[in-house]
Amino acid sequence: MTNELKPKERMAIDRVKMPEQSPRRRIGNFEEVNQGLTEEQAIQEAKRCLLCKSRPCVAGCPVRVRIPDFIAALAEGDLPEAARILLADNTLPAVCGRVCPQETQCEQVCVRGAKGAPVAIGYLERFVADWALAHPDKLHKEILPAPTGKKVAIVGSGPAGLTMAGELARKGHAVTLFEALHDTGGVLRYGIPEFRLPKRIVDIEVKRLQDIGVQIECNVVVGKTVTLDELRQEFDAVFIGNGAGLPVMLNIDGENLKGVYSANEYLTRVNLMAAWRDDVPTPIIRGKRVAVIGGGNTAMDAVRTSRRLGAERSIIVYRRTEVEMPARVEEIHHAKEEGIEFLLLAAPLEILGDEKGWVKGLLCQRMQLGEPDASGRRRPVPIEGDTFVLDVDVVVNAVGTRANPLLTATAPDLKLNKWGNIETDERGATSLPGVFAGGDIVRGGATVILAMGDGKMAAQAIDEYLKQQN
Amino acid sequence: MFEVLSNDILAPNVHRMVIRAPRIARVRKPGQFVIVRVEEGGERIPLTIGDADIAKGTITLFIQAVGLTSLKLVGTPVGNHLRDVAGPLGQPTHIRKWGRVVCIGGGLGTAVLYPMARALPAAGNEVTTIIGGRSAPFIILEQELSVFSRQVLVTTEDGSLGRKGFVTDALRELIDDPQRCPQAVIAIGPVPMMRAVAELTRPYGIETIVSLNPIMIDGTGMCGGCRVVVGGETRFACVDGPEFDGHLVDFDLLSNRLAMYREDECRMLEQLPDELRARIVQVKR
Ligand SMILES: Cc1cc2nc3c(=O)[nH]c(=O)nc-3n(C[C@H](O)[C@H](O)[C@H](O)COP(=O)(O)OP(=O)(O)OC[C@H]3O[C@@H](n4cnc5c(N)ncnc54)[C@H](O)[C@@H]3O)c2cc1C
Ligand SMILES: Cc1cc2nc3c(=O)[nH]c(=O)nc-3n(C[C@H](O)[C@H](O)[C@H](O)COP(=O)(O)OP(=O)(O)OC[C@H]3O[C@@H](n4cnc5c(N)ncnc54)[C@H](O)[C@@H]3O)c2cc1C
Ligand code: SF4
Ligand code: SF4
Ligand code: FES
Ligand SMILES: [Mg+2]
């Protein structure tokens, strides 16, 4: 019935607005900012989709979610069918619907974006996924194939590892997931804050994997507790998805003062260790004036966290301008609404301390944009002599991460590139037979959906590899 | 979940706990540690693996209750389970044949020292051990260390056991005796003690190894919270250490960073029931 809507009628509908907690209210809590669409809103938004034959949006999605198909089912109000399609293509849709940079992926190429706003694909994905989480009984029953008798070990429970686990379990392989920390999810757990991705969602997604037989062992640090070689002996194949969890240091004076954090530490304390809660013993320095250095999602998460921990001023210090910021547009927008200050074209020179070793200021260098660099972005260059001091008591370094060498250092035969990332072919195979890798450990810090895409691709490759082993 | 198999009191607020952790027992080496989370919602704290029994699949921890989490840990009864134990973490002690080695343990540091010291004789070293503490009850593991040490010297600040004074007094005498002057010193204990030992040996050029105890969270090199400066370079103690060349360590920085959460820690202690708090304040200085 709804499919009979004329394109003109579809075009007349305005893009839905996501219900949000007001900025004033949300800086006082850690609850989710985006409250999710109502069913009415979701169906209305779904009707904006033109169901294009050429399906550019699908090509814009790294895991090729059949976007028009699930949206069409949603527009019909057939949520079980919408969920079936979505879940078949995307293992973690409730996560992606929340954190994908849609504006540079599926929504960027949406036909409706040419004139006006693209279909809110991310919001719709989230809506259907949340519905599926809330109505497990209404979902189409999953029928698992008979066990193949093959065993696969997965290292790391971030999005790459979780996707891999789901894909392989659905092919009948016995999967054991090893995680170094005491809880699953990788960056989804320790990096991305509750107000963007409630940990309840990660819990349910992980539980769903356990329900289809995935074994999870936390507190196993591969390279220390067991070596890669031991895993290779015990399992028929191994997938490495251990992420890019090594903070890049600023290497400026004052970096070791009390009150200076890497974003990984700051966010881990707050997210994994729940330092924001009063009933938990994890301490964190709640600064009054907090500077966060960087312009990516990590920086936005840290700066907005500091606000919620009670900072009066929370300031982003970034050496380029807003257009070059790699963070999701929605996060930058939300940050501004929350009163985050953006100090652009400024680079840290030194962190200043008081006589007791606490941070008291950040010495900054004013920058300007010069010639484009290799990546095509205009390179920031210092304006000679133009420096100033920012009066702050906490500094968070969110300039980036690299591959953590803990595992790879104990696997000398595994081929790495010069940055320490694992080298793979386009399907995730490493230099060692039966060992595959994907996600940030291969790409360097990238995105959730790219890590998942790697997991999905490599799962196919592992499945074929295991069949050859027969 | 990791079962607590035994839990004995060695000294005021110092417990020896044996925990079932077969994977860790199998591969741990002297000098390595685990990260323990006692219960759901709890902190992660690093603790040295004092000993292990591969056949039984157990590890031994020596724990000094100094604050909320260590107190909860030592209060865990036999038969209960610790929520998380991850490891073994850190670099094993790089044991070489030095010749004469003096091992120095200050307070609980003696327990951290024990597995390393015990591994020394097999590599052809002669071990002299110095244990220091505030007073007699705080001197731990004297018996255990004497099994393989040529001599165990005890110093207490109040003279209630062994000689009155500091571990450095005993060390100075050894250095001054050409027959006993060590080729290497391993010193583990409170930061001021490790610093004093390093300062004492520096002019003699005696290799001095210390084990650093910065605040750790993940213990896998992911957060950088445990960073220390050694020879002007930033190192992550949980992956590069915890042992470093004592002559190159920036001890000021270490003690400064160790005090980062002092206010919170004191506040948490104040919220404890009186009799528990009294136990801790005794040892905490
Ligand atoms: C703060 C922050 C915010 C972000 N926001 C977004 C966003 O909004 N949208 C987006 O698309 N992307 C975002 N990203 C990037 C995205 O989270 C990552 O690209 C993605 O998580 C990578 O997935 P992964 O599975 O490769 O690794 P990770 O998520 O890093 O997971 C790796 C896992 O492996 C474990 N591990 C590591 N070493 C070992 C070992 N030796 N043995 C066992 N386990 C090990 C780790 O503990 C971890 O759990 C963000 C990243 C950060 C840090
Ligand atoms: C590699 C290493 C090995 C260690 N081995 C032992 C051991 O075998 N036995 C033992 O009793 N203790 C050991 N420690 C010290 C032990 O981790 C701390 O005493 C413990 O974390 C204190 O926690 P708390 O909550 O009880 O006390 P709190 O009151 O929270 O803290 C007391 C003091 O302990 C230190 N501390 C607090 N949190 C941490 C943390 N997460 N990591 C490190 N230090 C912290 C700080 O200096 C703090 O001022 C070791 C530390 C390191 C780094
Ligand atoms: S997974 Fe991400 S890119 Fe793909 S459709 Fe969903 S939101 Fe878009
Ligand atoms: S491009 Fe946009 S309008 Fe076309 S099918 Fe995809 S979501 Fe619908
Ligand atoms: S404890 Fe996090 S890097 Fe060492
Ligand atoms: Mg504590």
Side-chain angles (χ1 to χ4, degrees):
Chain A
M1 187 178 61
T2 38
N3 281 338
E4 263 116 65
L5 276 182
K6 302 227 162 51
K8 222 168 157 180
E9 292 168 292
R10 295 178 185 272
M11 292 297 286
I13 308 171
D14 284 333
R15 180 174 159 122
V16 67
K17 270 188 74 92
M18 174 60 83
E20 295 173 351
Q21 276 196 76
S22 76
R24 258 246 310 260
R25 179 154 175 275
R26 72 193 189 226
I27 58 172
N29 66 46
F30 273 81
E31 283 153 39
E32 206 175 359
V33 172
N34 288 350
Q35 302 282 292
L37 303 181
T38 63
E39 184 162 341
E40 235 181 335
Q41 284 178 310
I43 291 178
Q44 179 77 353
E45 179 66 20
K47 289 178 184 164
R48 294 183 64 228
C49 172
L50 304 174
L51 307 174
C52 314
K53 290 254 147 40
S54 58
R55 299 158 76 93
C57 50
V58 178
C61 167
V63 297
R64 307 281 181 264
V65 168
R66 285 166 285 160
I67 295 165
D69 302 349
F70 94 78
I71 291 185
L74 171 60
E76 303 273 350
D78 187 352
L79 280 155
E81 176 61 6
R84 188 189 63 76
I85 299 168
L86 185 57
L87 284 165
D89 293 343
N90 186 336
T91 319
L92 308 169
V95 174
C96 294
R98 286 172 167 83
V99 307
C100 256
Q102 289 93 6
E103 70 270 12
T104 61
Q105 296 178 167
C106 53
E107 292 184 22
Q108 186 183 40
V109 290
C110 170
V111 168
R112 289 220 51 180
K115 272 191 249 136
V119 174
I121 302 170
Y123 293 169
L124 295 183
E125 176 166 331
R126 170 188 160 149
F127 176 81
V128 173
D130 284 358
W131 180 90
L133 292 180
H135 301 92
D137 47 315
K138 297 210 177 110
L139 296 184
H140 295 262
K141 279 272 164 301
E142 245 190 298
I143 302 155
L144 292 174
T148 60
K150 298 285 183 190
K151 287 163 46 183
V152 184
I154 300 175
V155 182
S157 63
L162 293 177
T163 304
M164 172 60 77
E167 295 283 330
L168 289 178
R170 293 191 175 93
K171 294 184 198 309
H173 305 306
V175 178
T176 308
L177 213 157
F178 295 101
E179 168 57 50
L181 295 172
H182 61 254
D183 209 344
T184 49
V187 171
L188 307 180
R189 177 84 58 185
Y190 75 71
I192 303 180
E194 184 76 17
F195 57 81
R196 251 192 341 120
L197 176 63
K199 299 313 146 212
R200 173 180 54 83
I201 305 266
V202 184
D203 289 339
I204 305 177
E205 298 285 19
V206 169
K207 170 81 172 33
R208 207 155 53 187
L209 293 176
Q210 287 171 313
D211 287 345
I212 58 170
V214 173
Q215 299 291 315
I216 298 179
E217 273 201 58
C218 289
N219 300 311
V220 176
V221 187
V222 177
K224 291 286 182 184
T225 320
V226 292
T227 61
L228 182 59
D229 269 343
E230 288 167 325
L231 290 184
R232 292 180 72 197
Q233 277 159 30
E234 199 185 323
F235 294 85
D236 300 301
V238 180
F239 175 77
I240 305 175
N242 64 335
L246 175 80
V248 174
M249 290 286 137
L250 295 167
N251 287 318
I252 59 176
D253 281 348
E255 187 160 23
N256 298 319
L257 290 162
K258 287 179 288 192
V260 184
Y261 287 104
S262 77
N264 273 2
E265 179 182 358
Y266 191 70
L267 291 170
T268 297
R269 284 183 178 275
V270 177
N271 300 328
L272 180 71
M273 306 296 298
W276 56 278
R277 279 168 38 184
D278 289 334
D279 58 338
V280 152
T282 310
I284 185 135
I285 305 298
R286 294 176 182 242
K288 282 208 168 55
R289 293 171 306 277
V290 179
V292 175
I293 301 163
N297 285 321
T298 309
M300 294 306 141
D301 284 343
V303 81
R304 295 173 68 198
T305 295
S306 74
R307 193 91 169 107
R308 285 162 174 76
L309 291 174
E312 289 155 15
R313 289 186 67 185
S314 296
I315 310 162
I316 284 282
V317 177
Y318 183 55
R319 60 198 186 116
R320 304 180 196 240
T321 69
E322 193 177 319
V323 285
E324 286 92 13
M325 281 194 169
R328 293 178 77 221
V329 168
E330 186 178 46
E331 309 317 326
I332 297 174
H333 171 70
H334 279 160
K336 286 186 175 163
E337 286 183 342
E338 289 164 13
I340 306 300
E341 298 167 52
F342 284 68
L343 183 56
L344 303 171
L345 290 168
L349 283 181
E350 184 184 344
I351 303 169
L352 310 170
D354 65 15
E355 62 293 340
K356 294 210 170 105
W358 287 96
V359 172
K360 69 166 190 195
L362 180 66
L363 176 64
C364 296
Q365 165 76 60
R366 200 92 59 187
M367 312 293 279
Q368 62 190 12
L369 289 185
E371 295 301 306
D373 62 14
S375 71
R377 295 194 302 178
R378 291 178 64 192
R379 193 200 318 265
V381 288
I383 303 176
E384 224 37 70
D386 193 349
T387 64
F388 60 98
V389 173
L390 207 55
D391 176 21
V392 292
D393 51 9
V394 165
V395 173
V396 181
N397 159 15
V399 298
T401 56
R402 288 209 325 255
N404 186 321
L406 192 128
L407 186 161
T408 48
T410 61
D413 303 337
L414 197 58
K415 212 159 147 212
L416 309 179
N417 70 13
K418 64 178 171 186
W419 298 282
N421 297 107
I422 298 177
E423 279 194 4
T424 64
D425 68 11
E426 66 287 354
R427 305 194 62 208
T430 69
S431 57
L432 296 176
V435 179
F436 297 75
D440 280 3
I441 186 62
V442 171
R443 299 172 175 272
T447 62
V448 170
I449 191 66
L450 285 171
M452 292 179 56
D454 288 353
K456 197 168 167 177
M457 174 78 78
Q460 193 67 42
I462 290 181
D463 189 48
E464 285 163 24
Y465 170 83
L466 292 174
K467 284 187 181 129
Q468 281 162 20
Q469 301 304 300
N470 276 329
Chain B
M1 300 284 264
F2 300 81
E3 191 183 357
V4 176
L5 300 172
S6 71
N7 183 355
D8 312 310
I9 301 176
L10 286 192
N13 276 350
V14 178
H15 289 231
R16 179 195 348 236
M17 292 177 90
V18 175
I19 288 153
R20 190 185 311 284
R23 279 190 194 277
I24 301 172
R26 196 172 52 90
V27 292
R28 72 93 213 189
K29 295 206 174 68
Q32 291 188 297
F33 63 94
V34 286
I35 295 250
V36 173
R37 205 169 69 120
V38 180
E39 58 190 7
E40 196 54 56
E43 280 185 295
R44 294 168 65 93
I45 64 166
L47 297 161
T48 305
I49 305 167
D51 204 349
D53 186 325
I54 300 181
K56 295 202 181 106
T58 61
I59 58 170
T60 303
L61 304 178
F62 295 94
I63 305 135
Q64 179 168 45
V66 294
L68 187 72
T69 303
S70 47
L71 192 75
K72 279 194 173 149
L73 178 57
V74 301
T76 310
V78 171
N80 281 26
H81 292 77
L82 304 180
R83 178 69 177 72
D84 302 285
V85 180
L89 301 169
Q91 298 300 324
T93 307
H94 184 55
I95 291 170
R96 284 185 284 141
K97 182 168 186 224
W98 283 284
R100 285 188 300 272
V101 182
V102 173
C103 291
I104 307 178
L108 195 270
T110 311
V112 179
L113 178 75
Y114 173 65
M116 303 165 53
R118 205 175 53 167
L120 287 170
N125 295 292
E126 177 196 286
V127 177
T128 301
T129 303
I130 306 175
I131 318 177
R134 242 162 89 200
S135 59
F138 295 93
I139 300 298
I140 56 171
L141 299 175
E142 190 183 350
Q143 276 302 314
E144 287 84 345
L145 284 158
S146 66
V147 171
F148 54 83
S149 301
R150 169 176 166 190
Q151 190 184 11
V152 177
L153 301 161
V154 173
T155 68
T156 50
E157 286 166 41
D158 62 1
S160 54
L161 188 71
R163 67 183 283 172
K164 183 171 157 61
F166 296 100
V167 291
T168 39
D169 300 329
L171 176 61
R172 189 174 294 114
E173 274 176 23
L174 290 174
I175 292 176
D176 287 343
D177 178 352
Q179 304 295 296
R180 306 212 50 193
C181 180
Q183 275 84 37
V185 171
I186 301 177
I188 305 179
V191 176
M193 182 213 96
M194 293 192 284
R195 183 207 306 255
V197 169
E199 284 319 312
L200 176 59
T201 57
R202 188 192 304 276
Y204 301 92
I206 301 170
E207 182 171 349
T208 299
I209 297 165
V210 294
S211 180
L212 304 186
N213 59 338
I215 293 176
M216 294 183 178
I217 304 116
D218 59 301
T220 66
M222 179 272 277
C223 78
C226 64
R227 59 195 184 272
V228 292
V229 171
V230 182
E233 264 182 62
T234 297
R235 310 290 296 274
F236 291 179
C238 71
V239 286
D240 301 327
E243 285 156 31
F244 292 100
D245 179 344
H247 294 148
L248 299 180
V249 170
D250 184 340
F251 286 108
D252 280 334
L253 190 107
L254 177 64
S255 21
N256 187 35
R257 285 183 62 80
L258 273 171
M260 186 143 155
Y261 300 107
R262 197 83 8 120
E263 235 176 71
D264 288 276
E265 289 154 7
C266 291
R267 195 169 29 76
M268 277 188 264
L269 279 188
E270 267 150 34
Q271 288 161 4
L272 288 175
D274 283 347
E275 86 275 8
L276 285 183
R277 186 171 70 234
R279 282 184 58 183
I280 293 192
V281 175
Q282 270 179 27
V283 283
K284 200 167 184 164
R285 276 175 293 167

